[in-house]
Amino acid sequence: MGLVIFFVIAWMILAVFFSLKQRLSSKLNIILFLMIQLVHINFYTIFSFKLEWFIVDKSPVAFITSVVYRDIILPSLLLLFINLVYSEKRAGNRFVITLSIWIILVATAHLLSVFGIERLQHWSIWYMGLFCAGMMVFSFLFKVLLMKLYLKENQSNDGPSI
């Protein structure tokens, strides 16, 4: 049952992401997606395998559900967050978007333990909330860095050619 619910959540998030007009270019979205994946997988490995704060069930369905969450839902929500915050001008709307995405991230992570996909040992919903907030801050700061590099590259290419 959990696998179906996570596939539906992933499908809805991807449908929303691809139906909205993207303010960032495809290149920046791809680079952001890959960096989010890189950082998230490293932290996930440290927290689960090395520190054993939570343990993923060994069944194939639980593994696939965990992969759908880690590889589709979390990075897609973070990309949606970055694109929505970047396109919004008013601070109040940015705050509402940030809070909404954070709640969805924490709720989907909590569903992993509700469906028995992950067993929490030294981990709690509050730690997951802090982790999701950290991933959101990292995504936003990395987007700022990429935008500065992108604008710098465009400025250096706009000069006269010799």
Side-chain angles (χ1 to χ4, degrees):
M1 181 69 178
L3 179 62
V4 173
I5 290 174
F6 275 87
F7 269 125
V8 168
I9 292 170
W11 176 74
M12 287 190 314
I13 292 168
L14 289 174
V16 169
F17 178 75
F18 287 115
S19 66
L20 294 176
K21 184 175 187 241
Q22 304 299 318
R23 288 288 308 238
L24 298 175
S25 69
S26 297
K27 291 180 213 175
L28 291 178
N29 276 327
I30 290 170
I31 292 171
L32 267 171
F33 180 83
L34 293 175
M35 278 308 294
I36 290 168
Q37 282 291 86
L38 181 71
V39 170
H40 178 257
I41 287 173
N42 286 323
F43 277 112
Y44 182 83
T45 303
I46 292 169
F47 292 156
S48 64
F49 296 123
K50 298 297 180 189
L51 299 175
E52 294 181 352
W53 287 354
F54 57 89
I55 297 172
V56 178
D57 191 21
K58 301 291 186 205
S59 73
V61 172
F63 175 75
I64 293 170
T65 306
S66 178
V67 167
V68 166
Y69 171 73
R70 286 182 296 137
D71 294 343
I72 298 173
I73 293 175
L74 186 111
S76 298
L77 273 172
L78 290 173
L79 277 179
L80 185 64
F81 159 70
I82 293 299
N83 280 290
L84 287 175
V85 167
Y86 183 66
S87 66
E88 189 57 47
K89 302 287 186 230
R90 296 181 5 202
N93 290 347
R94 286 182 177 184
F95 177 76
V96 169
I97 290 168
T98 303
L99 187 62
S100 301
I101 296 291
W102 182 79
I103 289 171
I104 294 169
L105 280 169
V106 173
T108 54
H110 183 65
L111 281 176
L112 289 172
S113 63
V114 168
F115 287 121
I117 296 160
E118 289 181 352
R119 259 181 322 165
L120 307 178
Q121 292 184 337
H122 305 288
W123 193 252
S124 70
I125 192 72
W126 303 112
Y127 294 147
M128 192 61 195
L130 288 174
F131 176 72
C132 291
M135 286 299 295
M136 291 173 80
V137 168
F138 166 77
S139 302
F140 185 78
L141 292 176
F142 194 73
K143 188 268 310 177
V144 169
L145 175 71
L146 283 177
M147 291 300 293
K148 285 184 180 182
L149 291 173
Y150 185 72
L151 292 174
K152 193 175 195 178
E153 178 185 341
N154 283 346
Q155 288 174 353
S156 66
N157 289 339
D158 288 342
S161 60
I162 297 177

